[in-house]
Amino acid sequence: MMLAALRGNLAADLGLVANLMESALTSFTVVRHKAEQILSQYPKSERYLQYNSPKINRLLQLLRRYNPDQRTIIFCQRRATVKMLYHLLKKVAQHSPGYESIKPDFMVGVSTHLVQNTKLAEFTKKQDKLVSKRTDH
């Protein structure tokens, strides 16, 4: 009897989580479309240089003076920041004059708290090896 009640509560909780996730995804989609409308007013060469944080703007200033014969490493505290920076720098390098020599890539560390044989840890190790091979002289 108690197990059936727990199953019922779990199903209700999962349904609530699914509804919340769907609402969040819908909201993020609306925000993304609005941002795309605003940014589409700019030419591609300027589009990825608009509406950035002061830290991103400073990083872009530094990278504009980037020497293509040098390598630069940017450290971040969060994986999401690493991925966002990678995609932003990739777009900036593709579309903005003065940034063509930037060849972004990323490596993500694995927390020691994760079990070392998880799929995330294995994927991260594989990605890190690929990046290391590409950056070796």
Side-chain angles (χ1 to χ4, degrees), residues 29-39:
T29 301
V30 168
V31 169
R32 189 187 88 225
H33 286 303
K34 186 63 177 171
E36 287 173 350
Q37 284 177 335
I38 292 168
L39 291 173

Side-chain angles (χ1 to χ4, degrees), residues 15 37 61 106:
Q37 284 177 335
Q61 287 174 357
F106 66 93

